[in-house]
Amino acid sequence: MPQTNKTLMIQGTTSDAGKSTVVTGLCRALLRRGLRVAPFKPQNMALNSAVTSDGGEIGRAQAVQAHAAGLEPHTDMNPVLLKPTTDQGAQIILHGHAIGTMRALEYHAYKPLAMQAVMSSYARLTQRYETILVEGAGSPAEINLRVNDIANMGFAEAVDCPVILVADIDRGGVFAHIVGTLALLSDSERTRIIGVIINRFRGDLALLQPGLEWLEQEIHKPVLGVLPYLPNLYLEAEDSVALRTAHTPPHTTPRLRVIVPALPRISNHTDFDALRLHSRVNLQFTGAHTTIPDADLIILPGSKAVRQDLAWLRENAWDRAIARHLRYHGKLIGLCGGMQMLGRLIHDPHGLEGVAGSSPGLGLLDFETTLEHAKQLRQVNGSLCLGAAPVQGYEIHMGVTRGPALEFPAVRLATHNDGAISADGQIIGSYIHGLFDHPEACKALLAWAGDTSGTALDMALLRDQHIDALADMLEQHLDIDALINSMRNFNLKKYAAISA
């Protein structure tokens, strides 16, 4: 008797079609059924990452999916992570640890070795869990990337698993996306797609029904479900699309004005979710060539290319805006790469983030930072030096910072002190991502910046509530048990006969 298939892969017709959302909701739905389920993404490209329990680095979406499945995130859940440093190059994270930087063509040639890492992680997960839910990357129909593919159909073919295709109707052209994607696949790839899901539908389903009937006749695949648009759904995003599409709660007054420069290589932008969703905070990301608004608090975010993003700040007059902001007694926070920018100098002697050399910082805190080969990856907990509020978060950085300013830390951790507070109390620098996530830390920092409401979001509770709501929605609009049966009974020859 053939071995029961344990794996289901979710691919999308486009980036941001809803693959991460569907996998997250399915992880929670299967957990409710008592199944031991694990998420898996063979290859991810994102600047928003998370630190795992085994001390590595994976994409943020897989950490959220692990939580939905009731698990601690592990590096096997995302064995290959690409963190872009330029438009044509990226840092390569393999099994949670950086192995170097490659240009696009270089990495394309490296993919057979990366596939070995993918398959070893997948094998370990299949030994530990009953079900593996796999998320693809981008679209499987990128014909220029078909050779040595490890992210979509290349992986599905290697492990012989069924695939569900997700398409986003909200952006338009959903039928063309689905039909066109299938047309560009090989026969065996097309066969292993067991059905499609249409995501983010608004309106009367009866008006869509004629299109669904046409689609099923055209592609010889079932429409497994039509998922409604959920405008207020909160899931931590892993790319900067979230900066443009993020939901903001209704305005209440007064609100603390917070601005963040939208750096070209901004990383870990989910640091700001607790502020973006806060009813007493008006958070704005400000891009290039725009007027920098007045604010109570400016936050310099993390960056994957700190010296280049610091040059971008200067080109867009942020250095002058920050100086004016401080003269008027505004508050300033630098997080990770943003903290490094606050110092006197940033050194990159090995060219880890670009051309080797040094750049002058903003000179607001008395320290210097040197980028070193070994990346600091750790989960941390401790307390703010402002009011002793508890802090939980993580560190991801190659910079090592030294200088007198560190004698006045921002956070006291269990193993070491972190960051710095300026002598006048206006400036805070910290390496900790998730600094605002604990409600007590958020309240303390907002009070320091001028908010006297004493309110904050419990991000852990909010995350669980929204994952549960997502799972409820999938239960209503998909036949989850039928999906499980289709996965376990998948046979390529059988589906080839059905599709013929």
Side-chain angles (χ1 to χ4, degrees):
M1 184 174 178
Q3 183 179 1
T4 300
N5 201 301
K6 304 172 65 169
T7 303
L8 176 65
M9 189 169 194
I10 309 297
Q11 297 183 12
T13 57
T14 60
S15 294
D16 199 37
K19 300 181 293 291
S20 295
T21 301
V22 171
V23 171
T24 302
L26 287 176
C27 279
R28 180 56 57 90
L30 269 57
L31 176 66
R32 291 171 173 176
R33 286 163 168 73
L35 295 176
R36 290 181 294 109
V37 57
F40 183 67
K41 184 157 186 168
Q43 174 187 289
N44 201 346
M45 178 176 283
L47 287 176
N48 197 27
S49 55
V51 174
T52 63
S53 57
D54 57 325
E57 186 178 3
I58 64 173
R60 168 66 51 180
Q62 282 61 65
V64 174
Q65 291 160 0
H67 181 79
L71 304 173
E72 285 292 321
H74 191 280
T75 52
D76 278 337
M77 295 171 183
N78 177 206
V80 179
L81 174 62
L82 311 179
K83 303 188 77 173
T85 52
T86 67
D87 290 341
Q88 296 185 20
Q91 184 184 61
I92 313 300
I93 313 290
L94 213 62
H95 287 148
H97 299 281
I99 63 166
T101 299
M102 297 184 190
R103 293 177 66 82
L105 286 175
E106 218 180 334
Y107 176 69
H108 190 66
Y110 180 79
K111 278 185 180 179
L113 289 176
M115 186 60 157
Q116 294 177 19
V118 166
M119 296 305 290
S120 62
S121 285
Y122 173 73
R124 286 191 289 269
L125 289 178
T126 57
Q127 291 169 5
R128 296 176 59 192
Y129 300 100
E130 293 175 87
T131 304
I132 311 298
L133 293 176
V134 185
E135 180 186 335
S139 161
E142 305 293 348
I143 56 176
N144 56 309
L145 300 177
R146 292 281 291 280
V147 177
N148 297 332
D149 171 55
I150 67 176
N152 288 299
M153 284 299 181
F155 174 80
E157 297 261 83
V159 304
D160 191 24
C161 72
V163 174
I164 292 174
L165 190 65
V166 179
D168 177 11
I169 196 171
D170 190 52
R171 63 179 61 194
V174 69
F175 299 114
H177 286 165
I178 294 169
V179 173
T181 297
L182 290 170
L184 292 173
L185 299 180
S186 70
D187 290 343
S188 63
E189 292 170 346
R190 193 180 306 113
T191 297
R192 69 179 58 258
I193 293 180
I194 61 174
V196 300
I197 293 173
I198 293 178
N199 190 31
R200 301 191 183 111
F201 176 71
R202 317 184 199 213
D204 189 337
L205 190 58
L207 293 175
L208 184 63
Q209 193 60 42
L212 300 181
E213 293 170 0
W214 175 89
L215 181 65
E216 290 184 333
Q217 292 176 3
E218 178 73 19
I219 66 175
H220 306 291
K221 309 280 183 186
V223 176
L224 301 172
V226 177
L227 306 181
Y229 181 79
L230 297 179
N232 297 324
L233 178 68
Y234 166 68
L235 287 179
E236 292 158 291
E238 63 185 16
D239 60 39
S240 59
V241 170
L243 302 185
R244 300 191 298 272
T245 61
H247 166 69
T248 302
H251 285 203
T252 60
T253 54
R255 299 204 302 162
L256 191 78
R257 300 165 301 167
V258 181
I259 57 173
V260 180
L263 303 175
R265 296 295 173 191
I266 188 172
S267 66
N268 296 82
H269 57 80
T270 48
D271 285 340
F272 308 106
D273 283 357
L275 304 181
R276 179 174 61 85
L277 298 168
H278 197 296
S279 62
R280 297 296 296 267
V281 173
N282 177 12
L283 178 74
Q284 296 182 50
F285 290 94
T286 303
H289 312 302
T290 58
T291 301
I292 300 170
D294 292 334
D296 302 296
L297 172 63
I298 295 176
I299 307 178
L300 302 183
S303 165
K304 192 65 194 72
V306 180
R307 291 171 59 219
Q308 292 93 317
D309 279 349
L310 180 56
W312 179 92
L313 283 180
R314 289 193 164 102
E315 289 167 6
N316 287 277
W318 277 90
D319 51 346
R320 297 193 294 276
I322 288 170
R324 183 177 65 251
H325 173 76
L326 293 172
R327 281 199 305 273
Y328 285 93
H329 307 291
K331 298 298 198 296
L332 173 66
I333 295 177
L335 295 175
C336 198
M339 182 186 90
Q340 296 170 1
M341 296 177 187
L342 298 176
R344 290 186 287 107
L345 287 164
I346 301 169
H347 308 286
D348 186 2
H350 311 292
L352 299 174
E353 291 186 352
V355 178
S358 299
S359 297
L362 297 174
L364 298 172
L365 292 173
D366 189 8
F367 55 62
E368 298 184 10
T369 298
T370 301
L371 302 187
E372 299 183 354
H373 286 287
K375 184 179 285 193
Q376 308 297 312
L377 294 165
R378 57 174 77 93
Q379 296 179 349
V380 298
N381 59 79
S383 59
L384 281 177
C385 293
L386 290 171
V391 171
Q392 293 176 319
Y394 57 97
E395 293 182 39
I396 302 177
H397 56 94
M398 291 188 295
V400 176
T401 300
R402 303 177 178 90
L406 304 181
E407 295 174 10
F408 304 94
V411 184
R412 298 194 187 279
L413 301 172
T415 56
H416 62 285
N417 290 335
D418 166 75
I421 300 179
S422 63
D424 61 9
Q426 282 186 260
I427 304 170
I428 290 176
S430 174
Y431 270 122
I432 298 174
H433 295 290
L435 193 65
F436 296 96
D437 285 359
H438 193 289
E440 295 304 316
C442 187
K443 282 193 285 188
L445 289 165
L446 292 182
W448 166 76
D451 173 47
T452 58
S453 68
T455 60
L457 290 172
D458 186 329
M459 295 301 291
L461 177 62
L462 184 71
R463 181 187 303 115
D464 260 325
Q465 289 173 339
H466 283 250
I467 290 173
D468 280 332
L470 174 60
D472 292 343
M473 183 268 283
L474 293 187
E475 295 275 12
Q476 182 180 352
H477 296 277
L478 294 177
D479 188 338
I480 306 293
D481 294 322
L483 287 185
I484 295 171
N485 289 334
S486 295
M487 171 186 68
R488 290 178 173 170
N489 299 319
F490 175 76
N491 179 283
L492 191 63
K493 291 183 179 178
K494 179 185 76 172
Y495 276 87
I498 294 172
S499 300

